[in-house]
Amino acid sequence: MPLLRRTCPWNAAGYSGSFQVNLDDREAVGLGGVELIRAAMRIAARQADWRATAFGWIGTRHGTMVGVSDRREVPEEHSAVIHAAMNEKPRAALHPVWGGPGPAPVQRGSAALMTQEFRAAVAAATA
């Protein structure tokens, strides 16, 4: 659940988060398979009070992809923060391409980062 909450935009009261991991197919099977991972994500999302939409596929060109996202309607007082966060993701991703001045913005919530955090959490839980 802490991993899910961390994907929510700052100052958005826990709204509009999404979490996706891209695992090797064998690694996903070793963790119980797509259905089990997806179910665990859905349960964690419900505990975070999300109205969750979950997905999971095995055998994609990126391996196994599993994720969950919050589909609750965002209250007006948090919509500006969420819209700004949605605009920041592509800007951070395109900064190296555009060659913008200054340091690249921090890209929170990339699938690669979430996958590493997920692996670390699984390792800690099974240790």
Side-chain angles (χ1 to χ4, degrees):
M1 204 165 74
L3 297 178
L4 299 182
R5 288 183 195 255
R6 226 181 11 240
T7 67
C8 299
W10 289 314
N11 300 320
Y15 285 92
S16 195
S18 63
F19 190 82
Q20 175 183 329
V21 296
N22 298 344
L23 304 168
D24 177 83
D25 291 340
R26 294 181 74 200
E27 180 181 19
V29 169
L31 291 172
V34 170
E35 292 302 318
L36 182 63
I37 298 168
R38 188 173 70 153
M41 285 185 179
R42 192 172 33 250
I43 290 168
R46 287 185 187 139
Q47 290 174 350
D49 294 326
W50 290 9
R51 191 173 126 223
T53 299
F55 64 87
W57 302 283
I58 193 165
T60 73
R61 70 182 186 139
H62 300 290
T64 296
M65 298 171 58
V66 186
V68 64
S69 60
D70 181 12
R71 295 293 178 215
R72 293 177 292 169
E73 188 169 329
V74 177
E76 186 63 36
E77 64 266 22
H78 302 297
S79 64
V81 170
I82 290 172
H83 289 293
M86 289 172 68
N87 290 332
E88 183 62 24
K89 281 187 178 187
R91 189 174 81 75
L94 292 173
H95 184 274
V97 176
W98 290 338
V106 174
Q107 191 173 3
R108 293 181 69 218
S110 70
L113 177 60
M114 287 186 273
T115 300
Q116 293 307 315
E117 291 174 333
F118 175 80
R119 286 178 175 139
V122 168
T126 58

